[in-house]
Amino acid sequence: MLAAISRATRISSHFLAHGHVHTRQLSSRVGAVLSALGLPGPDQVIPGVYDGQWGGRGEELVSKCPATGEVIGRVKAATAEETRVAIVRSVEAARVVRAMPGPRRGDVIRQIREALSSKVSELGDLVSLEMGKMRSEGKGEVQEFVDICDYATGLSRSMAGRVLPSERPEHVIYEIPNPLGVVGILSAFNFPVAVYVTNGRNLAIALATGNATIWKPSPSTPLCSVAVTRIVQSVLERNDLPGAAASLVCGGVEVGKELVGSAEVDMVSFTGSEKVGKEVGKVVQDRFGKSLLELGGNNAVIVDHDADLKLALQAVLFAAVGTAGQRCTSTRRLFLHRSISEPFLAALVKHYNTSLRIGDPLDSSTLIGPLHTRQAVETYLRTIEDVATRGGALLTARAGRIEGGPPGVEGAQGNWVWPVVLRPGLDDPCWREEVFAPILYVAEFDTLDEAIKINNSVPQGLSSSLFTSSLQSMGKWLGPEGSDCGIVNVNVGTSGAEIGAAFGGNKSTGWGRESGGDAWKQYVRWSAATVNYGNKLPLAQGVSFGGD
């Protein structure tokens, strides 16, 4: 395995040394992108706290372009005291928001949607520069923000409780939703725009249901959060709403602890690792708050003997290497029916070896960008080496770090790696662990029952996919004996969920649901109200307590 990694490094160095034309450095283009969003360059520190006014007296967060390693921005984080003040102001703003009629809140969301829509390309480019995903994915993430605003605008006029029949004469029962108050949002680096509004579905859904929000983004993507907040700020001001209705507190662990531990934050939505999510859930539960957790994925694709192999191949490629394997819904595990395993693997590995264009995230022909951090690169390298040590096989021709970067990208400090396919032993612990990197594990199965058992054998339960042409197999996969995940697809890959259905996972993924469906019901407090409109007081269940 080490020899393969070394060979891959030599191959990439050969590419760079033999006349490939370099585009100008990614970070040299950041000025135009930041300027279009009203942000200064890296020579000026940007305030990273907003609660109706901008501030920030905490540590300096340095934003680096993962493709080149160069600094593209500096943001001043919140202190613990500033975070507490922002929470207080968010509570005050929540009173204003909840007093607004639902359709009026929906109109504000519509205006946010329009403001965002005018900046889709600019925000998408910033996502590519700061997070590292390819350009179409960056724009797609912002478009998801726009789409969820459309959804939330409609929700503001349609969310409803229920009217239930009573067993008592001249009585009626209502189930009534009312706003919670303040929703705290702790988002991850991999969707620096969408997790705030769409993947966490927090700003739009929280506002539609009458809540204020306070957002702590990932400390490695502060520019995206400031840019989004400035757009939202302009809409709030235009509507004479308090800025703390959508507060921002950039920062690290201490800022997060203030949000998670505050009894004034009625619900905490956390997107991140299982390890941290477990601690967040404990703290929020200890104070009897509400939590919405979207944690590890470790998603699997099953390709059965009767599958459309061309369709399955296309789906696996995007889900396994898209966003450089840094989606919560990325495919980590691939299970192939033994009868089709050899031709499918041959076609898959050929694509890995020859046609997956790695390069400049802002180049429209690029399919794979860099990993987000140096730490992610080290985790990727260590994972490959550990699997090799335990007897796993590398199936792709290249593995490891791409020294010096891929063709067309200058700067030796980028976080570039080769996507790999590995065949570990079935008892290897890697199957149960999610690694945020373009590493795909593959194994074979003989029966669908066996494949389902393997799919369900891991702690996580986010997304899963079965490729088959059998109606019976589809029924089993979707039924009580099928996948135990929150997302259970048929002839569709594990990633790229739409906003209309509820998004989330089971087991150690956290059980939270976001976006469409009934997910909005988590953002409200529910009351059951029995109303007596008669002049008698009968008791339920036939209980008699004197009287007529």
Side-chain angles (χ1 to χ4, degrees), residues 116-198:
L116 289 166
S117 185
S118 69
K119 295 292 184 181
V120 167
S121 294
E122 294 85 349
L123 276 173
D125 284 353
L126 181 58
V127 170
S128 294
L129 283 169
E130 190 172 38
M131 186 272 153
K133 62 180 63 176
M134 66 179 184
R135 193 171 202 172
S136 66
E137 285 189 288
K139 291 180 67 175
E141 178 176 340
V142 182
Q143 184 60 49
E144 192 177 359
F145 191 136
V146 172
D147 293 344
I148 199 70
C149 285
D150 283 338
Y151 177 87
T153 299
L155 179 65
S156 71
R157 289 182 176 270
S158 61
M159 58 182 180
R162 292 198 298 173
V163 181
L164 303 172
S166 172
E167 66 183 66
R168 291 171 279 186
E170 299 185 306
H171 283 60
V172 65
I173 302 171
Y174 301 105
E175 288 185 339
I176 304 170
N178 281 300
L180 284 172
V182 176
V183 176
I185 304 160
L186 286 77
S187 63
F189 75 88
N190 58 330
F191 280 84
V193 171
V195 168
Y196 178 38
V197 177
T198 53

